[in-house]
Amino acid sequence: MNKLRLAVFASHEGSNMQSIIDASKQDKLQAEVVCVISNNSSSGALKRAENEGIAFYHVSVKTHPIEKDFSDKILEILNLHKVDLIILAGYMKKIPVEILKAYRNKILNIHPALLPKFGGKNMYGMNVHQAVIANGEKKSGATVHIVDENYDQGKILNQIEVVVLSDDTPETLAQRVLEVEHKIYVETIQKIIDGSILLQ
Ligand code: GRF
């Protein structure tokens, strides 16, 4: 069976991306990461891609100041690598509408909370965990969802809960959520391949 061809978009460390690559290498995932795109030239994600021998690209407002050129470049890379599914893993840039149209229902994101709570424009990184704790939530978690035109509002595909401990700081909570992110992202992609999660 042909493996699903994944592009990962990541801006930072790339630990979610690494968990997907590792699962693929261990045959726990019938998919392979065929290219990595980052808007951050010094991201850990690009270094990891290089170490893994995976094609990697820095595409940003620095390399492509005109929005249309930015989208065209990304679409060119996706076409070149015959990408089936785009995996956002800590990607800090809004996806241009041209890419959303070309890959409708084929772009996934992982969010470090239980959407629809704690999503939206400024809800990223440590802000999310700070808000969860400040709100006195008893549980948080991770959500994998389809990406559409609105931040964190696309169809929810899978969620996993993490208990918020009374002495949690945003950092300790973030660490436990990240651990489950690594599991749920791989699991969700494999369920899409199996047909038990539908992208529509
Ligand atoms: C993760 O918490 C993810 O949910 C969020 O950004 C973080 C990325 O971590 N969107 P990493 O780059 O995969 O290590």
PDB file of all heavy atoms in Angstrom, residues 85-120:
ATOM      1  N   LEU A  85      -1.321  15.313   2.527  1.00  0.00           N
ATOM      2  CA  LEU A  85      -1.875  15.899   3.757  1.00  0.00           C
ATOM      3  C   LEU A  85      -0.846  16.851   4.365  1.00  0.00           C
ATOM      4  O   LEU A  85       0.337  16.516   4.413  1.00  0.00           O
ATOM      5  CB  LEU A  85      -2.161  14.744   4.730  1.00  0.00           C
ATOM      6  CG  LEU A  85      -3.093  14.955   5.900  1.00  0.00           C
ATOM      7  CD1 LEU A  85      -4.497  15.306   5.424  1.00  0.00           C
ATOM      8  CD2 LEU A  85      -3.142  13.666   6.750  1.00  0.00           C
ATOM      9  N   ILE A  86      -1.331  18.010   4.815  1.00  0.00           N
ATOM     10  CA  ILE A  86      -0.444  18.996   5.458  1.00  0.00           C
ATOM     11  C   ILE A  86      -0.663  18.916   6.967  1.00  0.00           C
ATOM     12  O   ILE A  86      -1.802  18.973   7.446  1.00  0.00           O
ATOM     13  CB  ILE A  86      -0.748  20.422   4.953  1.00  0.00           C
ATOM     14  CG1 ILE A  86      -0.527  20.511   3.444  1.00  0.00           C
ATOM     15  CG2 ILE A  86       0.101  21.455   5.706  1.00  0.00           C
ATOM     16  CD1 ILE A  86      -0.989  21.829   2.828  1.00  0.00           C
ATOM     17  N   ILE A  87       0.429  18.792   7.694  1.00  0.00           N
ATOM     18  CA  ILE A  87       0.377  18.660   9.153  1.00  0.00           C
ATOM     19  C   ILE A  87       0.979  19.927   9.762  1.00  0.00           C
ATOM     20  O   ILE A  87       2.186  20.164   9.632  1.00  0.00           O
ATOM     21  CB  ILE A  87       1.218  17.438   9.602  1.00  0.00           C
ATOM     22  CG1 ILE A  87       0.775  16.155   8.883  1.00  0.00           C
ATOM     23  CG2 ILE A  87       1.190  17.284  11.117  1.00  0.00           C
ATOM     24  CD1 ILE A  87      -0.631  15.715   9.204  1.00  0.00           C
ATOM     25  N   LEU A  88       0.159  20.734  10.403  1.00  0.00           N
ATOM     26  CA  LEU A  88       0.686  21.911  11.104  1.00  0.00           C
ATOM     27  C   LEU A  88       1.092  21.446  12.503  1.00  0.00           C
ATOM     28  O   LEU A  88       0.296  20.843  13.229  1.00  0.00           O
ATOM     29  CB  LEU A  88      -0.356  23.019  11.207  1.00  0.00           C
ATOM     30  CG  LEU A  88      -1.028  23.478   9.912  1.00  0.00           C
ATOM     31  CD1 LEU A  88      -1.898  24.713  10.189  1.00  0.00           C
ATOM     32  CD2 LEU A  88      -0.036  23.773   8.814  1.00  0.00           C
ATOM     33  N   ALA A  89       2.340  21.738  12.863  1.00  0.00           N
ATOM     34  CA  ALA A  89       2.833  21.305  14.169  1.00  0.00           C
ATOM     35  C   ALA A  89       3.591  22.478  14.784  1.00  0.00           C
ATOM     36  O   ALA A  89       4.788  22.627  14.584  1.00  0.00           O
ATOM     37  CB  ALA A  89       3.738  20.083  14.001  1.00  0.00           C
ATOM     38  N   GLY A  90       2.828  23.332  15.464  1.00  0.00           N
ATOM     39  CA  GLY A  90       3.455  24.523  16.025  1.00  0.00           C
ATOM     40  C   GLY A  90       3.851  25.496  14.930  1.00  0.00           C
ATOM     41  O   GLY A  90       4.936  26.070  14.970  1.00  0.00           O
ATOM     42  N   TYR A  91       2.971  25.664  13.938  1.00  0.00           N
ATOM     43  CA  TYR A  91       3.240  26.602  12.828  1.00  0.00           C
ATOM     44  C   TYR A  91       2.566  27.925  13.168  1.00  0.00           C
ATOM     45  O   TYR A  91       1.353  27.975  13.367  1.00  0.00           O
ATOM     46  CB  TYR A  91       2.689  26.032  11.527  1.00  0.00           C
ATOM     47  CG  TYR A  91       3.038  26.847  10.306  1.00  0.00           C
ATOM     48  CD1 TYR A  91       4.361  27.014   9.918  1.00  0.00           C
ATOM     49  CD2 TYR A  91       2.042  27.446   9.527  1.00  0.00           C
ATOM     50  CE1 TYR A  91       4.698  27.754   8.786  1.00  0.00           C
ATOM     51  CE2 TYR A  91       2.364  28.177   8.393  1.00  0.00           C
ATOM     52  CZ  TYR A  91       3.693  28.327   8.031  1.00  0.00           C
ATOM     53  OH  TYR A  91       4.012  29.067   6.914  1.00  0.00           O
ATOM     54  N   MET A  92       3.369  28.981  13.253  1.00  0.00           N
ATOM     55  CA  MET A  92       2.890  30.231  13.821  1.00  0.00           C
ATOM     56  C   MET A  92       2.393  31.234  12.784  1.00  0.00           C
ATOM     57  O   MET A  92       2.253  32.406  13.097  1.00  0.00           O
ATOM     58  CB  MET A  92       4.005  30.883  14.650  1.00  0.00           C
ATOM     59  CG  MET A  92       4.469  30.034  15.811  1.00  0.00           C
ATOM     60  SD  MET A  92       3.122  29.508  16.871  1.00  0.00           S
ATOM     61  CE  MET A  92       2.720  31.065  17.642  1.00  0.00           C
ATOM     62  N   LYS A  93       2.151  30.777  11.567  1.00  0.00           N
ATOM     63  CA  LYS A  93       1.698  31.717  10.544  1.00  0.00           C
ATOM     64  C   LYS A  93       0.342  31.262  10.023  1.00  0.00           C
ATOM     65  O   LYS A  93       0.102  30.059   9.896  1.00  0.00           O
ATOM     66  CB  LYS A  93       2.733  31.724   9.409  1.00  0.00           C
ATOM     67  CG  LYS A  93       2.628  32.929   8.536  1.00  0.00           C
ATOM     68  CD  LYS A  93       3.805  33.081   7.624  1.00  0.00           C
ATOM     69  CE  LYS A  93       3.565  34.105   6.537  1.00  0.00           C
ATOM     70  NZ  LYS A  93       2.433  34.967   6.609  1.00  0.00           N
ATOM     71  N   LYS A  94      -0.510  32.242   9.733  1.00  0.00           N
ATOM     72  CA  LYS A  94      -1.834  31.890   9.211  1.00  0.00           C
ATOM     73  C   LYS A  94      -1.679  31.294   7.804  1.00  0.00           C
ATOM     74  O   LYS A  94      -0.857  31.772   7.015  1.00  0.00           O
ATOM     75  CB  LYS A  94      -2.726  33.147   9.171  1.00  0.00           C
ATOM     76  CG  LYS A  94      -4.190  32.804   9.077  1.00  0.00           C
ATOM     77  CD  LYS A  94      -5.056  33.975   9.542  1.00  0.00           C
ATOM     78  CE  LYS A  94      -6.425  33.489   9.948  1.00  0.00           C
ATOM     79  NZ  LYS A  94      -7.462  33.468   9.037  1.00  0.00           N
ATOM     80  N   ILE A  95      -2.443  30.263   7.520  1.00  0.00           N
ATOM     81  CA  ILE A  95      -2.346  29.628   6.205  1.00  0.00           C
ATOM     82  C   ILE A  95      -3.093  30.482   5.181  1.00  0.00           C
ATOM     83  O   ILE A  95      -4.286  30.757   5.347  1.00  0.00           O
ATOM     84  CB  ILE A  95      -2.964  28.203   6.249  1.00  0.00           C
ATOM     85  CG1 ILE A  95      -2.236  27.338   7.284  1.00  0.00           C
ATOM     86  CG2 ILE A  95      -2.940  27.550   4.878  1.00  0.00           C
ATOM     87  CD1 ILE A  95      -0.791  27.046   6.969  1.00  0.00           C
ATOM     88  N   PRO A  96      -2.416  30.894   4.109  1.00  0.00           N
ATOM     89  CA  PRO A  96      -3.079  31.733   3.095  1.00  0.00           C
ATOM     90  C   PRO A  96      -4.261  31.005   2.442  1.00  0.00           C
ATOM     91  O   PRO A  96      -4.249  29.776   2.309  1.00  0.00           O
ATOM     92  CB  PRO A  96      -1.981  31.997   2.064  1.00  0.00           C
ATOM     93  CG  PRO A  96      -0.701  31.723   2.768  1.00  0.00           C
ATOM     94  CD  PRO A  96      -1.000  30.674   3.790  1.00  0.00           C
ATOM     95  N   VAL A  97      -5.236  31.781   2.032  1.00  0.00           N
ATOM     96  CA  VAL A  97      -6.486  31.215   1.517  1.00  0.00           C
ATOM     97  C   VAL A  97      -6.251  30.360   0.268  1.00  0.00           C
ATOM     98  O   VAL A  97      -6.934  29.356   0.059  1.00  0.00           O
ATOM     99  CB  VAL A  97      -7.522  32.347   1.302  1.00  0.00           C
ATOM    100  CG1 VAL A  97      -7.172  33.246   0.148  1.00  0.00           C
ATOM    101  CG2 VAL A  97      -8.914  31.780   1.188  1.00  0.00           C
ATOM    102  N   GLU A  98      -5.242  30.709  -0.529  1.00  0.00           N
ATOM    103  CA  GLU A  98      -4.953  29.912  -1.752  1.00  0.00           C
ATOM    104  C   GLU A  98      -4.576  28.474  -1.372  1.00  0.00           C
ATOM    105  O   GLU A  98      -4.938  27.526  -2.071  1.00  0.00           O
ATOM    106  CB  GLU A  98      -3.772  30.510  -2.539  1.00  0.00           C
ATOM    107  CG  GLU A  98      -4.029  31.838  -3.190  1.00  0.00           C
ATOM    108  CD  GLU A  98      -3.920  33.007  -2.219  1.00  0.00           C
ATOM    109  OE1 GLU A  98      -3.496  32.799  -1.058  1.00  0.00           O
ATOM    110  OE2 GLU A  98      -4.283  34.132  -2.621  1.00  0.00           O
ATOM    111  N   ILE A  99      -3.848  28.344  -0.267  1.00  0.00           N
ATOM    112  CA  ILE A  99      -3.431  27.007   0.161  1.00  0.00           C
ATOM    113  C   ILE A  99      -4.628  26.273   0.789  1.00  0.00           C
ATOM    114  O   ILE A  99      -4.838  25.085   0.551  1.00  0.00           O
ATOM    115  CB  ILE A  99      -2.233  27.099   1.135  1.00  0.00           C
ATOM    116  CG1 ILE A  99      -1.060  27.771   0.407  1.00  0.00           C
ATOM    117  CG2 ILE A  99      -1.832  25.720   1.659  1.00  0.00           C
ATOM    118  CD1 ILE A  99       0.125  28.100   1.278  1.00  0.00           C
ATOM    119  N   LEU A 100      -5.442  27.004   1.543  1.00  0.00           N
ATOM    120  CA  LEU A 100      -6.651  26.390   2.125  1.00  0.00           C
ATOM    121  C   LEU A 100      -7.562  25.858   1.025  1.00  0.00           C
ATOM    122  O   LEU A 100      -8.132  24.774   1.150  1.00  0.00           O
ATOM    123  CB  LEU A 100      -7.424  27.425   2.957  1.00  0.00           C
ATOM    124  CG  LEU A 100      -6.789  27.831   4.281  1.00  0.00           C
ATOM    125  CD1 LEU A 100      -7.530  29.013   4.871  1.00  0.00           C
ATOM    126  CD2 LEU A 100      -6.790  26.668   5.263  1.00  0.00           C
ATOM    127  N   LYS A 101      -7.672  26.622  -0.066  1.00  0.00           N
ATOM    128  CA  LYS A 101      -8.552  26.190  -1.172  1.00  0.00           C
ATOM    129  C   LYS A 101      -7.969  24.971  -1.879  1.00  0.00           C
ATOM    130  O   LYS A 101      -8.689  24.036  -2.220  1.00  0.00           O
ATOM    131  CB  LYS A 101      -8.713  27.334  -2.184  1.00  0.00           C
ATOM    132  CG  LYS A 101      -9.741  28.352  -1.760  1.00  0.00           C
ATOM    133  CD  LYS A 101      -9.977  29.347  -2.876  1.00  0.00           C
ATOM    134  CE  LYS A 101     -10.874  30.476  -2.415  1.00  0.00           C
ATOM    135  NZ  LYS A 101     -10.581  31.726  -3.110  1.00  0.00           N
ATOM    136  N   ALA A 102      -6.665  24.987  -2.094  1.00  0.00           N
ATOM    137  CA  ALA A 102      -6.022  23.880  -2.824  1.00  0.00           C
ATOM    138  C   ALA A 102      -6.015  22.598  -1.983  1.00  0.00           C
ATOM    139  O   ALA A 102      -5.997  21.496  -2.531  1.00  0.00           O
ATOM    140  CB  ALA A 102      -4.606  24.277  -3.218  1.00  0.00           C
ATOM    141  N   TYR A 103      -5.987  22.743  -0.667  1.00  0.00           N
ATOM    142  CA  TYR A 103      -5.906  21.567   0.226  1.00  0.00           C
ATOM    143  C   TYR A 103      -7.084  21.565   1.203  1.00  0.00           C
ATOM    144  O   TYR A 103      -6.918  21.290   2.382  1.00  0.00           O
ATOM    145  CB  TYR A 103      -4.551  21.543   0.960  1.00  0.00           C
ATOM    146  CG  TYR A 103      -3.428  21.129   0.045  1.00  0.00           C
ATOM    147  CD1 TYR A 103      -2.844  22.064  -0.807  1.00  0.00           C
ATOM    148  CD2 TYR A 103      -2.984  19.819  -0.018  1.00  0.00           C
ATOM    149  CE1 TYR A 103      -1.833  21.696  -1.692  1.00  0.00           C
ATOM    150  CE2 TYR A 103      -1.978  19.438  -0.894  1.00  0.00           C
ATOM    151  CZ  TYR A 103      -1.417  20.385  -1.720  1.00  0.00           C
ATOM    152  OH  TYR A 103      -0.419  19.999  -2.597  1.00  0.00           O
ATOM    153  N   ARG A 104      -8.269  21.814   0.704  1.00  0.00           N
ATOM    154  CA  ARG A 104      -9.472  21.849   1.538  1.00  0.00           C
ATOM    155  C   ARG A 104      -9.650  20.510   2.261  1.00  0.00           C
ATOM    156  O   ARG A 104      -9.584  19.442   1.637  1.00  0.00           O
ATOM    157  CB  ARG A 104     -10.671  22.158   0.623  1.00  0.00           C
ATOM    158  CG  ARG A 104     -12.007  22.197   1.286  1.00  0.00           C
ATOM    159  CD  ARG A 104     -12.189  23.378   2.211  1.00  0.00           C
ATOM    160  NE  ARG A 104     -12.153  24.680   1.551  1.00  0.00           N
ATOM    161  CZ  ARG A 104     -11.991  25.847   2.214  1.00  0.00           C
ATOM    162  NH1 ARG A 104     -11.862  25.859   3.531  1.00  0.00           N
ATOM    163  NH2 ARG A 104     -11.963  26.989   1.566  1.00  0.00           N
ATOM    164  N   ASN A 105      -9.831  20.567   3.586  1.00  0.00           N
ATOM    165  CA  ASN A 105      -9.983  19.345   4.415  1.00  0.00           C
ATOM    166  C   ASN A 105      -8.746  18.447   4.397  1.00  0.00           C
ATOM    167  O   ASN A 105      -8.830  17.268   4.737  1.00  0.00           O
ATOM    168  CB  ASN A 105     -11.209  18.516   4.002  1.00  0.00           C
ATOM    169  CG  ASN A 105     -12.497  19.225   4.363  1.00  0.00           C
ATOM    170  OD1 ASN A 105     -12.504  20.138   5.180  1.00  0.00           O
ATOM    171  ND2 ASN A 105     -13.571  18.830   3.722  1.00  0.00           N
ATOM    172  N   LYS A 106      -7.640  19.002   3.981  1.00  0.00           N
ATOM    173  CA  LYS A 106      -6.404  18.201   3.962  1.00  0.00           C
ATOM    174  C   LYS A 106      -5.294  18.895   4.744  1.00  0.00           C
ATOM    175  O   LYS A 106      -4.113  18.683   4.485  1.00  0.00           O
ATOM    176  CB  LYS A 106      -5.952  17.970   2.518  1.00  0.00           C
ATOM    177  CG  LYS A 106      -6.867  17.016   1.783  1.00  0.00           C
ATOM    178  CD  LYS A 106      -6.380  16.777   0.381  1.00  0.00           C
ATOM    179  CE  LYS A 106      -7.315  15.838  -0.332  1.00  0.00           C
ATOM    180  NZ  LYS A 106      -7.175  15.943  -1.774  1.00  0.00           N
ATOM    181  N   ILE A 107      -5.693  19.772   5.655  1.00  0.00           N
ATOM    182  CA  ILE A 107      -4.714  20.439   6.523  1.00  0.00           C
ATOM    183  C   ILE A 107      -5.154  20.199   7.968  1.00  0.00           C
ATOM    184  O   ILE A 107      -6.283  20.507   8.341  1.00  0.00           O
ATOM    185  CB  ILE A 107      -4.640  21.960   6.247  1.00  0.00           C
ATOM    186  CG1 ILE A 107      -4.440  22.230   4.744  1.00  0.00           C
ATOM    187  CG2 ILE A 107      -3.515  22.588   7.075  1.00  0.00           C
ATOM    188  CD1 ILE A 107      -4.400  23.705   4.371  1.00  0.00           C
ATOM    189  N   LEU A 108      -4.258  19.625   8.753  1.00  0.00           N
ATOM    190  CA  LEU A 108      -4.558  19.349  10.163  1.00  0.00           C
ATOM    191  C   LEU A 108      -3.722  20.243  11.057  1.00  0.00           C
ATOM    192  O   LEU A 108      -2.615  20.638  10.697  1.00  0.00           O
ATOM    193  CB  LEU A 108      -4.230  17.903  10.532  1.00  0.00           C
ATOM    194  CG  LEU A 108      -4.759  16.766   9.685  1.00  0.00           C
ATOM    195  CD1 LEU A 108      -4.444  15.435  10.373  1.00  0.00           C
ATOM    196  CD2 LEU A 108      -6.246  16.896   9.459  1.00  0.00           C
ATOM    197  N   ASN A 109      -4.247  20.507  12.239  1.00  0.00           N
ATOM    198  CA  ASN A 109      -3.477  21.243  13.240  1.00  0.00           C
ATOM    199  C   ASN A 109      -3.642  20.541  14.588  1.00  0.00           C
ATOM    200  O   ASN A 109      -4.642  19.867  14.831  1.00  0.00           O
ATOM    201  CB  ASN A 109      -3.984  22.684  13.351  1.00  0.00           C
ATOM    202  CG  ASN A 109      -3.152  23.507  14.315  1.00  0.00           C
ATOM    203  OD1 ASN A 109      -1.924  23.401  14.353  1.00  0.00           O
ATOM    204  ND2 ASN A 109      -3.809  24.319  15.124  1.00  0.00           N
ATOM    205  N   ILE A 110      -2.654  20.737  15.452  1.00  0.00           N
ATOM    206  CA  ILE A 110      -2.808  20.274  16.834  1.00  0.00           C
ATOM    207  C   ILE A 110      -2.783  21.492  17.737  1.00  0.00           C
ATOM    208  O   ILE A 110      -1.973  22.413  17.553  1.00  0.00           O
ATOM    209  CB  ILE A 110      -1.729  19.231  17.219  1.00  0.00           C
ATOM    210  CG1 ILE A 110      -2.081  18.624  18.582  1.00  0.00           C
ATOM    211  CG2 ILE A 110      -0.317  19.820  17.223  1.00  0.00           C
ATOM    212  CD1 ILE A 110      -1.502  17.247  18.809  1.00  0.00           C
ATOM    213  N   HIS A 111      -3.723  21.500  18.677  1.00  0.00           N
ATOM    214  CA  HIS A 111      -3.837  22.639  19.595  1.00  0.00           C
ATOM    215  C   HIS A 111      -3.692  22.110  21.019  1.00  0.00           C
ATOM    216  O   HIS A 111      -4.307  21.099  21.368  1.00  0.00           O
ATOM    217  CB  HIS A 111      -5.204  23.311  19.401  1.00  0.00           C
ATOM    218  CG  HIS A 111      -5.346  24.562  20.209  1.00  0.00           C
ATOM    219  ND1 HIS A 111      -4.781  25.753  19.810  1.00  0.00           N
ATOM    220  CD2 HIS A 111      -5.952  24.791  21.397  1.00  0.00           C
ATOM    221  CE1 HIS A 111      -5.041  26.676  20.731  1.00  0.00           C
ATOM    222  NE2 HIS A 111      -5.751  26.122  21.693  1.00  0.00           N
ATOM    223  N   PRO A 112      -2.904  22.800  21.870  1.00  0.00           N
ATOM    224  CA  PRO A 112      -2.629  22.249  23.200  1.00  0.00           C
ATOM    225  C   PRO A 112      -3.689  22.580  24.247  1.00  0.00           C
ATOM    226  O   PRO A 112      -3.380  23.047  25.345  1.00  0.00           O
ATOM    227  CB  PRO A 112      -1.277  22.881  23.541  1.00  0.00           C
ATOM    228  CG  PRO A 112      -1.305  24.191  22.855  1.00  0.00           C
ATOM    229  CD  PRO A 112      -2.106  23.987  21.590  1.00  0.00           C
ATOM    230  N   ALA A 113      -4.945  22.325  23.909  1.00  0.00           N
ATOM    231  CA  ALA A 113      -6.065  22.496  24.858  1.00  0.00           C
ATOM    232  C   ALA A 113      -7.265  21.761  24.281  1.00  0.00           C
ATOM    233  O   ALA A 113      -7.208  21.242  23.158  1.00  0.00           O
ATOM    234  CB  ALA A 113      -6.387  23.974  25.051  1.00  0.00           C
ATOM    235  N   LEU A 114      -8.349  21.735  25.074  1.00  0.00           N
ATOM    236  CA  LEU A 114      -9.555  21.051  24.622  1.00  0.00           C
ATOM    237  C   LEU A 114     -10.452  22.052  23.904  1.00  0.00           C
ATOM    238  O   LEU A 114     -11.312  22.694  24.513  1.00  0.00           O
ATOM    239  CB  LEU A 114     -10.274  20.416  25.825  1.00  0.00           C
ATOM    240  CG  LEU A 114      -9.486  19.307  26.544  1.00  0.00           C
ATOM    241  CD1 LEU A 114     -10.219  18.867  27.816  1.00  0.00           C
ATOM    242  CD2 LEU A 114      -9.243  18.111  25.633  1.00  0.00           C
ATOM    243  N   LEU A 115     -10.240  22.199  22.606  1.00  0.00           N
ATOM    244  CA  LEU A 115     -11.090  23.103  21.835  1.00  0.00           C
ATOM    245  C   LEU A 115     -12.537  22.641  21.944  1.00  0.00           C
ATOM    246  O   LEU A 115     -12.778  21.460  22.125  1.00  0.00           O
ATOM    247  CB  LEU A 115     -10.647  23.105  20.355  1.00  0.00           C
ATOM    248  CG  LEU A 115      -9.281  23.750  20.078  1.00  0.00           C
ATOM    249  CD1 LEU A 115      -8.910  23.561  18.595  1.00  0.00           C
ATOM    250  CD2 LEU A 115      -9.269  25.239  20.430  1.00  0.00           C
ATOM    251  N   PRO A 116     -13.545  23.507  21.860  1.00  0.00           N
ATOM    252  CA  PRO A 116     -13.445  24.912  21.457  1.00  0.00           C
ATOM    253  C   PRO A 116     -12.984  25.858  22.568  1.00  0.00           C
ATOM    254  O   PRO A 116     -12.853  27.052  22.321  1.00  0.00           O
ATOM    255  CB  PRO A 116     -14.874  25.245  21.017  1.00  0.00           C
ATOM    256  CG  PRO A 116     -15.720  24.344  21.849  1.00  0.00           C
ATOM    257  CD  PRO A 116     -14.929  23.073  22.013  1.00  0.00           C
ATOM    258  N   LYS A 117     -12.714  25.315  23.755  1.00  0.00           N
ATOM    259  CA  LYS A 117     -12.206  26.195  24.813  1.00  0.00           C
ATOM    260  C   LYS A 117     -10.746  26.546  24.528  1.00  0.00           C
ATOM    261  O   LYS A 117      -9.989  25.723  24.015  1.00  0.00           O
ATOM    262  CB  LYS A 117     -12.288  25.492  26.163  1.00  0.00           C
ATOM    263  CG  LYS A 117     -13.680  25.445  26.750  1.00  0.00           C
ATOM    264  CD  LYS A 117     -13.655  24.716  28.069  1.00  0.00           C
ATOM    265  CE  LYS A 117     -14.390  25.508  29.134  1.00  0.00           C
ATOM    266  NZ  LYS A 117     -14.335  24.860  30.437  1.00  0.00           N
ATOM    267  N   PHE A 118     -10.371  27.715  24.920  1.00  0.00           N
ATOM    268  CA  PHE A 118      -8.968  28.166  24.856  1.00  0.00           C
ATOM    269  C   PHE A 118      -8.369  28.097  23.452  1.00  0.00           C
ATOM    270  O   PHE A 118      -7.219  27.700  23.271  1.00  0.00           O
ATOM    271  CB  PHE A 118      -8.112  27.390  25.873  1.00  0.00           C
ATOM    272  CG  PHE A 118      -8.662  27.502  27.260  1.00  0.00           C
ATOM    273  CD1 PHE A 118      -9.374  26.450  27.831  1.00  0.00           C
ATOM    274  CD2 PHE A 118      -8.539  28.681  27.975  1.00  0.00           C
ATOM    275  CE1 PHE A 118      -9.929  26.564  29.091  1.00  0.00           C
ATOM    276  CE2 PHE A 118      -9.089  28.803  29.246  1.00  0.00           C
ATOM    277  CZ  PHE A 118      -9.785  27.743  29.794  1.00  0.00           C
ATOM    278  N   GLY A 119      -9.191  28.477  22.469  1.00  0.00           N
ATOM    279  CA  GLY A 119      -8.690  28.615  21.104  1.00  0.00           C
ATOM    280  C   GLY A 119      -8.836  30.057  20.656  1.00  0.00           C
ATOM    281  O   GLY A 119      -9.325  30.904  21.404  1.00  0.00           O
ATOM    282  N   GLY A 120      -8.394  30.335  19.435  1.00  0.00           N
ATOM    283  CA  GLY A 120      -8.553  31.683  18.875  1.00  0.00           C
ATOM    284  C   GLY A 120      -7.243  32.411  18.732  1.00  0.00           C
ATOM    285  O   GLY A 120      -6.182  31.855  18.985  1.00  0.00           O
TER     286      GLY A 120
END
